Amino acid sequence: METSTPKRFSLPVVVSILMTIVPLVTTSILTAWAINHEKILRELPIEWWLGVTFILTLASSTALTPPTFLALVYGYFLGWSSLPMLFVLNIGAISIIYVSAHFLHAASVRNYLIQVYPQVGSLLRRFYKNELRLIFFAKLSPVLPFAITNLFFAMAGARFKQVLTGGTLGMIPRTLLAVWAGKEAQDIRYLLEHPNEGLATKIVLIALIIISTVGIGYFFKDKSMVES
């Protein structure tokens, strides 16, 4: 009698699942900590913020801390002066994730998927023709997880320059919006528990989602990008 062998999840799939679940837990923990230690954070010198930024860059690259959430906190305590640190954090985390994809055997995973699902090869060829555009629109969306999208593009074989440029440009509007929301907030508890409060914030978020969705959708509908 034949016995079926249970299917095993590949390492990239397991990592992706963890990168989706872990931020929900860590964000809740960090929210509680920030609320209870607001005075300490208020008195933290800029040199400490630089050190914290380095640590959080590593944490963001492993999906422990979503950069948009951090932008809210930085905006609340530091205002617009936090932007350089947040941009460095985003660029650093993107770079670390890209390099880490090598240890997940990205090329082997791509080859396996192409063999099992031939249509993947067609999608990848289309993607390589216009990497920057798709990466930009994906990173523009407030609903797509930071670490997951960066890992996906790295695993897909996107060039580092395109991932870095598209990822940075796409994150700018989200970062500016989060810093502005943090800067205008009067209470950190209410800010972190209701990050999308306010009509202006909701309008911008909806606009970013629509623009991102249309941009990504155009990639799949643009027949001129299909190889003959």
Side-chain angles (χ1 to χ4, degrees), residues 25-91:
V25 177
T26 54
T27 298
S28 299
I29 295 173
L30 288 174
T31 296
W33 189 89
I35 291 172
N36 293 323
H37 298 83
E38 180 177 355
K39 184 177 180 181
I40 295 176
L41 293 173
R42 284 254 179 231
E43 298 174 351
L44 208 61
I46 191 64
E47 294 81 7
W48 279 80
W49 279 104
L50 294 174
V52 168
T53 300
F54 173 76
I55 295 173
L56 292 177
T57 298
L58 300 176
S60 295
S61 68
T62 54
L64 292 176
T65 52
T68 302
F69 167 80
L70 297 177
L72 287 170
V73 177
Y74 274 60
Y76 181 80
F77 289 106
L78 300 177
W80 295 118
S81 62
S82 66
L83 284 177
M85 285 183 281
L86 289 170
F87 289 148
V88 169
L89 185 152
N90 276 280
I91 293 172

